Amino acid sequence: MQYISELYNRGNYHQIISLEKQLDPHPTLLQYLSSSYANLGLFDEAIAILEDLLEKSHESSNISSIKANLAQLLLNKGKLAQAEKLALDAFNSSRDSLSKKSIISGILGNIYSKKGKYQQANSYYNQALPELNNSPKLHVLNNLITTQKLWIEELTQDIQWARLWNDKINDKTVAELSQQINKINQEHQKAVEQSLALSETLQGVDFLRTQILLKEQSKFSKNQLFLKVKELPLSLSKGELYLQLGRPQFALEVARKTQNKRLLSFALGALGKEFKAKGNLPRASTLFLEAQQTAMQIGAWDSLYLWQWESAKISLQQKDKEKALSSYINALKTLDRLRPELAEIRQQGQFTQDIEPLYLEALELGLQQAQSSTDLLKLKEILQQYQIALVENYFNAPCPLDLDSFNTLETGQAFVYFVSLPEQTYVILELPENNLSHYKLDLTQSELQKLATQWRSELKFEITEDYRKTANILYEKLISPLENQLAKNKIKTLFIQPSGVLQNLPFAALMSGETYLIEKFQLAFSLGLGQSNSIKIADTGKIFGLSTSSKADDVNWPDLPGVLQEVQQIQFLTNMEITINDSFTYENLLNSVSEEESISFLHLATHGRFGGNAEQSYLLTYDQKLSLSELETLLLKNNLPLNLLVLSGCETAVGNDRTILGMGGLSIRTGTNNVISTLWRVGDTDSADLTPHFYRFYQQEYPPIEALRKAQLAMLQSDNQHPYDWAGYVLLVP
């Protein structure tokens, strides 16, 4: 035992692994073995050892320690759901000392930080700190500091969106969000001071990690820190510190001496980026290739895709666009291997900085190069993969889909894919029988953002018609380039996949002269992952409404007196039972759907929000909030996929440019064929006018897409002609 401990402390991980078959199956020795594999980047082997040990150690006194270590390894692999379950089990069942339980709290903090649940992470870190000392305390402090920075970034982004749409985000005003940021900033500064002070007493690796993390507050220059790292004994940590300091050549030397291929792949790639920055593209290209080969040897896909991506950029600089596109596609294939792990990670910046740009760069190059329907079919596949990645990022969970099972377009239908890029907006038009074409639109991303924001603002003022001019400009930019093809092919139905700010755009109210787009076409938003609009009679359904305030929330939501009229009219039209106000409880809603009794539609008239991710999204019942995951569970209880879900609330889809992912993703994950919701706070009297029109047509066996169009056209012929009263209603299909 002591010999293995000494080998481990000296970093002789390969030697410990070479003794694996000779080791006694003692839990402590096996944990040393597992950690040795982990320190060499061989996480699968490390996890397998602890899983086997856990299975054989049901009555072991250190079972909570095994669970905690396994949770940390699963976290390193990105398997956050499994890691969370194990860590919570360890935390709740631990009979260890407070200091050991605090280590588990720290692991839970790491898990929730990675999941983007910064408030929960902050809470667990603060639970851990009082009982920890020295290195463990410093590690938790540094993780807390990083999490607080990410939390502040997220709240700052929320403020930007709240100002953009003149609205609340997650039920908080700009002033409330600013106040929250100030409080976190104060706590952040205290944590920084504690961390710097503690690191001074520890020196070594812990000291240097802290000084590099807090380099802006450190009294040491980058070069001084580099010289201190050079003095450290050979170890994996030394190589990682070199990388953090931007010294990949030295990290490369450590990787080779320690035979750590994971570190080697990252060091080679980082060195390649240095040569690329200096303009030495041939040398950079060679290093990126070596980094890829090394990563492939150990299945380090999170390293491999980065260097395939860099190879694509090199080829692009060398004007070899065909080779660049091939490298982009290889990088996306590698990224697809990581989908189960990446789906669980929603740390601020992880997706938008490290993943999403890869899809967008590949799409941009592909659109520039596309010359045939075959080329565009390949781009359509990338778009589908991108949408799946967006949905998984939104729900923080994998979304298994078969790309070959998606429905094909029928005669009279067309699919319009918008791709908004910084310098250019593109549109791909798909007609039946895989007939694809693409167009470069006269719009940059910033111009589109400005126009869309202006139009949304104009639509709010129902006493003016200022919106008409901007509605015509947007029609001219977005739809006019497609008109000849749409007319030639006698298209009557448009499935629209919006991009970025277009997700908050009421396409139905775009205008060509005096004619609205909804007067020309049936419209639905779609994620491009299969659409289903078969005619089904709404013979069985459930109707819920909340016209009074809810006891579930501290937000001062206004009453919705029009809801009572709305659900009573729907009851009259459908002959279905309604559940209203204090009967519309959380429990009654969950019990309303069962495997024994299938329903074809569910109507929920209540307040709710679809925010920037699933955690920020909910509906209100009379007594408590219904989370998006709980709504998903409810819909999955139905014996058959639901044909129609109507969320007739005041702001069931307001938030940011990814709220459509909530509704569309819900449709995909539950098999629901059609989801109707709103893009803004539709007045509840307007809702009481439009939804009965919709159900009147739906009961006449019109599919939802046609029933909604007819309802909106009926509103155009009524006293509620202004688009703010009817255009906010959108239909989403998968």
Side-chain angles (χ1 to χ4, degrees):
M1 182 84 71
Q2 185 177 349
Y3 175 60
I4 297 297
S5 174
E6 289 173 357
L7 286 176
Y8 185 83
N9 291 332
R10 291 200 299 267
N12 294 336
Y13 308 127
H14 284 286
Q15 193 170 347
I16 293 174
I17 290 170
S18 71
L19 298 171
E20 180 173 356
K21 293 183 180 179
Q22 302 169 36
L23 292 178
D24 291 330
H26 190 281
T28 303
L29 289 175
L30 291 174
Q31 288 190 73
Y32 274 126
L33 178 63
S34 173
S35 296
S36 296
Y37 274 115
N39 286 330
L40 292 172
L42 302 171
F43 294 118
D44 290 336
E45 291 84 348
I47 288 169
I49 290 168
L50 288 190
E51 285 179 336
D52 184 60
L53 180 58
L54 186 61
E55 193 175 328
K56 297 174 181 176
S57 305
H58 294 301
E59 305 301 324
S60 172
S61 59
N62 64 346
I63 192 167
S64 62
S65 174
I66 297 169
K67 286 182 178 179
N69 290 337
L70 181 54
Q72 183 62 56
L73 287 173
L74 290 166
L75 170 61
N76 293 341
K77 280 287 289 182
K79 298 183 178 181
L80 303 191
Q82 291 174 257
E84 180 183 9
K85 184 178 184 303
L86 271 171
L88 285 172
D89 283 349
F91 184 82
N92 294 326
S93 63
S94 175
R95 295 188 295 273
D96 293 329
S97 64
L98 286 175
S99 61
K100 286 188 176 180
K101 192 163 185 175
S102 293
I103 291 172
I104 302 172
S105 291
I107 292 172
L108 281 165
N110 296 341
I111 291 167
Y112 288 119
S113 179
K114 203 73 172 172
K115 293 185 82 167
K117 298 182 178 180
Y118 303 125
Q119 189 164 357
Q120 285 174 268
N122 192 72
S123 174
Y124 274 110
Y125 285 140
N126 280 306
Q127 283 183 56
L129 285 171
E131 301 299 327
L132 296 176
N133 294 299
N134 302 326
S135 292
K137 183 167 188 171
L138 187 60
H139 292 164
V140 171
L141 271 171
N142 289 343
N143 289 335
L144 172 63
I145 288 165
T146 301
T147 296
Q148 288 169 335
K149 287 175 69 176
L150 294 168
W151 194 5
I152 290 167
E153 286 175 18
E154 181 179 75
L155 292 171
T156 302
Q157 190 177 64
D158 285 347
I159 286 177
Q160 291 171 351
W161 277 106
R163 284 176 174 154
L164 178 64
W165 299 118
N166 191 26
D167 207 337
K168 292 182 178 181
I169 294 291
N170 302 331
D171 309 325
K172 291 185 178 179
T173 63
V174 169
E176 290 168 332
L177 289 167
S178 299
Q179 188 176 11
Q180 188 177 7
I181 287 175
N182 289 336
K183 183 180 177 183
I184 299 167
N185 260 324
Q186 291 172 7
E187 294 174 1
H188 177 71
Q189 191 53 45
K190 288 180 183 177
V192 168
E193 291 169 3
Q194 288 180 51
S195 181
L196 287 170
L198 182 55
S199 72
E200 293 276 4
T201 68
L202 296 175
Q203 294 301 312
V205 171
D206 293 318
F207 165 75
L208 288 164
R209 275 191 181 137
T210 301
Q211 296 295 325
I212 293 170
L213 173 69
L214 306 175
K215 53 184 177 291
E216 292 176 3
Q217 292 92 350
S218 175
K219 61 186 178 183
F220 298 98
S221 69
K222 195 172 181 180
N223 193 55
Q224 287 174 317
L225 291 171
F226 165 66
L227 293 174
K228 288 180 179 293
V229 172
K230 284 187 75 175
E231 295 171 3
L232 293 173
L234 184 67
S235 68
L236 172 63
S237 297
K238 184 174 183 176
E240 291 171 341
L241 290 171
Y242 276 137
L243 281 180
Q244 290 171 33
L245 284 168
R247 300 291 184 120
Q249 185 66 58
F250 291 88
L252 194 61
E253 184 181 341
V254 172
R256 284 174 173 151
K257 286 181 178 178
T258 59
Q259 301 177 53
N260 190 307
K261 290 190 176 182
R262 182 174 176 80
L263 176 61
L264 182 61
S265 72
F266 279 104
L268 285 165
L271 190 59
K273 290 179 77 171
E274 272 197 2
F275 278 100
K276 177 187 164 192
K278 293 173 183 176
N280 190 341
L281 300 187
R283 178 63 178 144
S285 184
T286 300
L287 287 165
F288 289 143
L289 185 59
E290 287 182 38
Q292 291 172 49
Q293 291 168 342
T294 305
M296 280 191 279
Q297 289 173 13
I298 58 169
W301 313 123
D302 58 331
S303 174
L304 177 59
Y305 94 89
L306 291 173
W307 314 129
Q308 290 171 324
W309 187 358
E310 288 295 338
S311 291
K313 294 176 185 177
I314 290 276
S315 297
L316 206 53
Q317 283 184 258
Q318 294 173 329
K319 310 298 183 185
D320 191 342
K321 293 185 177 181
E322 187 175 339
K323 186 177 179 181
L325 188 57
S326 176
S327 293
Y328 273 121
I329 290 171
N330 286 336
L332 288 171
K333 286 178 180 176
T334 302
L335 197 60
D336 196 52
R337 288 174 175 263
L338 289 166
R339 269 185 52 210
E341 289 82 15
L342 292 173
E344 297 185 37
I345 298 172
R346 195 174 56 240
Q347 208 167 57
Q348 183 75 12
Q350 173 83 30
F351 185 81
T352 55
Q353 293 173 21
D354 300 337
I355 298 168
E356 188 171 23
L358 172 57
Y359 286 102
L360 296 179
E361 288 174 23
L363 285 168
E364 183 171 26
L365 179 59
L367 286 163
Q368 290 171 358
Q369 295 289 98
Q371 295 180 352
S372 66
S373 278
T374 303
D375 294 336
L376 291 170
L377 275 172
K378 292 177 183 176
L379 290 179
K380 178 185 169 183
E381 288 181 15
I382 295 175
L383 271 171
Q384 289 172 332
Q385 291 168 349
Y386 176 41
Q387 290 300 316
I388 292 171
L390 287 169
V391 170
E392 290 181 332
N393 180 250
Y394 185 95
F395 281 88
N396 211 188
C399 185
L401 283 170
D402 180 5
L403 286 173
D404 296 325
S405 68
F406 297 155
N407 295 345
T408 55
L409 291 170
E410 298 174 3
T411 302
Q413 296 180 339
F415 208 109
V416 182
Y417 304 86
F418 287 100
V419 184
S420 178
L421 301 166
E423 300 303 321
Q424 190 67 59
T425 301
Y426 292 89
V427 61
I428 298 174
L429 175 64
E430 181 180 6
L431 300 169
E433 298 181 4
N434 288 328
N435 181 2
L436 288 97
S437 55
H438 73 300
Y439 306 84
K440 187 187 292 187
L441 303 183
D442 183 24
L443 271 176
T444 65
Q445 200 170 69
S446 60
E447 289 169 344
L448 182 58
Q449 175 92 45
K450 184 178 178 181
L451 275 172
T453 307
Q454 177 183 330
W455 192 40
R456 280 287 300 260
S457 179
E458 291 168 349
L459 282 168
K460 288 183 178 181
F461 297 99
E462 297 189 58
I463 58 173
T464 74
E465 294 193 348
D466 293 346
Y467 70 89
R468 288 175 173 267
K469 180 180 178 181
T470 312
N472 271 274
I473 293 172
L474 282 165
Y475 186 101
E476 181 68 25
K477 300 281 188 182
L478 300 173
I479 305 298
S480 289
L482 315 177
E483 282 192 311
N484 288 340
Q485 282 279 28
L486 296 176
K488 180 181 176 182
N489 289 275
K490 299 179 181 178
I491 299 301
K492 296 180 179 179
T493 301
L494 293 183
F495 296 105
I496 297 170
Q497 183 187 100
S499 173
V501 72
L502 291 178
Q503 295 193 60
N504 274 319
L505 214 63
F507 275 79
L510 293 178
M511 299 185 75
S512 176
E514 296 297 312
T515 305
Y516 290 104
L517 187 64
I518 194 64
E519 295 180 87
K520 296 184 175 187
F521 303 101
Q522 297 175 160
L523 300 172
F525 279 161
S526 174
L527 298 182
L529 303 176
Q531 58 277 351
S532 175
N533 259 281
S534 56
I535 296 174
K536 293 185 181 180
I537 301 173
D539 51 358
T540 57
K542 302 282 184 177
I543 306 163
F544 289 81
L546 187 66
S547 65
T548 61
S549 58
S550 169
K551 295 179 179 179
D553 210 10
D554 55 2
V555 180
N556 187 24
W557 294 101
D559 288 348
L560 299 171
V563 162
L564 184 59
Q565 176 190 345
E566 175 185 342
V567 296
Q568 286 175 340
Q569 289 188 66
I570 296 170
Q571 181 187 34
F572 175 77
L573 290 164
T574 63
N575 200 30
M576 293 294 128
E577 182 182 341
I578 62 173
T579 305
I580 191 78
N581 294 338
D582 58 357
S583 296
F584 179 8
T585 63
Y586 175 84
E587 186 175 354
N588 284 345
L589 177 61
L590 293 185
N591 291 335
S592 67
V593 178
S594 66
E595 294 179 3
E596 292 76 28
E597 180 192 8
S598 292
I599 59 173
S600 62
F601 77 89
L602 178 64
H603 185 101
L604 303 175
T606 179
H607 283 296
R609 280 186 183 274
F610 274 77
N613 57 57
E615 291 293 325
Q616 298 172 355
S617 306
Y618 63 87
L619 300 174
L620 288 184
T621 68
Y622 179 73
D623 56 347
Q624 70 182 78
K625 288 181 179 180
L626 179 77
S627 71
L628 199 57
S629 62
E630 289 167 328
L631 179 58
E632 182 181 338
T633 301
L634 172 70
L635 298 178
L636 287 170
K637 279 172 61 181
N638 202 40
N639 197 28
L640 295 171
L642 205 66
N643 187 49
L644 174 66
L645 170 66
V646 179
L647 303 174
S648 176
C650 275
E651 47 190 293
T652 41
V654 75
N656 65 21
D657 66 347
R658 298 200 170 187
T659 53
I660 292 297
L661 295 169
M663 295 183 292
L666 188 67
S667 173
I668 291 166
R669 293 171 64 84
T670 62
T672 302
N673 288 328
N674 303 272
V675 179
I676 291 178
S677 190
T678 54
L679 290 174
W680 54 68
R681 288 192 183 104
V682 176
D684 72 312
T685 53
D686 300 324
S687 183
D689 289 336
L690 186 140
T691 50
H693 280 306
F694 168 79
Y695 279 100
R696 178 160 54 88
F697 294 115
Y698 186 52
Q699 285 298 111
Q700 294 173 25
E701 301 187 21
Y702 287 104
I705 191 170
E706 192 171 352
L708 180 59
R709 176 175 182 260
K710 286 182 175 293
Q712 290 175 318
L713 293 177
M715 292 285 283
L716 266 175
Q717 304 303 317
S718 71
D719 294 335
N720 298 321
Q721 295 181 6
H722 194 281
Y724 197 75
D725 296 333
W726 53 266
Y729 282 89
V730 292
L731 172 70
L732 276 110
V733 296

